[in-house]
Amino acid sequence: MNIGEFKLVNNRLLGSIATRTIDLPRLGLRPVESTNDKAPAYEIVALNVGNRWVQVGALWEAVARNTTGEAFLQGSIDDPSLPEPLPIALFGTTEEGMRVAWRRPQRRDDFGMATRTGSRPETPEGGDGFGPSTAGNDGGLMGGSGRFDEDEPIY
């Protein structure tokens, strides 16, 4: 769902985001200059009530995992006034404008198993990486007394 847009205005990327409960009419994207590979590409800034630009988020460069391989920006907007961070993605170019997209994160069922995409990495032994169980068939601890002594430290 598209919830906003950014355009190049006087050599600055300015835009807005609006939903039913959020109205951010003046946002800016400030390029981040860093040699760190993990640094964001842009800081998202907004005008506060005192008419000052304050950082409210960040965007990182990403590439679509589909057949198009389209480059886009992804990140989130967060502020104490919001109930939770707002994840966003920007598609388009700085010259032609970028549209802001939002998608509700998929939540897992609290009682069901988590659904994962792809396969789990296997250990060289072919197991799941957790090693052998320390519980016997009756559920008790194998290879010990099954109790903790007060004199022994618990780690």
Side-chain angles (χ1 to χ4, degrees), residues 51-64:
N51 210 29
R52 293 177 37 204
W53 291 102
V54 295
Q55 184 179 354
V56 295
L59 296 167
W60 284 262
E61 294 176 342
V63 177

Side-chain angles (χ1 to χ4, degrees), residues 69-122:
E70 179 183 11
F72 64 99
L73 297 171
Q74 71 177 6
S76 65
I77 293 177
D78 198 3
D79 184 79
S81 66
L82 298 175
E84 60 186 277
L86 178 66
I88 59 172
L90 277 65
F91 297 91
T93 65
T94 55
E95 295 79 21
E96 297 174 8
M98 292 183 274
R99 63 192 181 285
V100 181
W102 170 83
R103 182 176 65 164
R104 186 179 306 279
Q106 293 180 351
R107 299 194 189 271
R108 67 180 190 179
D109 182 0
D110 289 341
F111 295 104
M113 292 187 60
T115 304
R116 299 194 193 282
T117 57
S119 60
R120 290 176 52 180
E122 290 189 21

Side-chain angles (χ1 to χ4, degrees), residues 30-50:
R30 183 169 44 205
V32 173
E33 295 181 22
S34 175
T35 57
N36 187 333
D37 292 342
K38 297 182 183 198
Y42 292 93
E43 291 178 343
I44 305 168
V45 294
L47 280 175
N48 69 7
V49 295

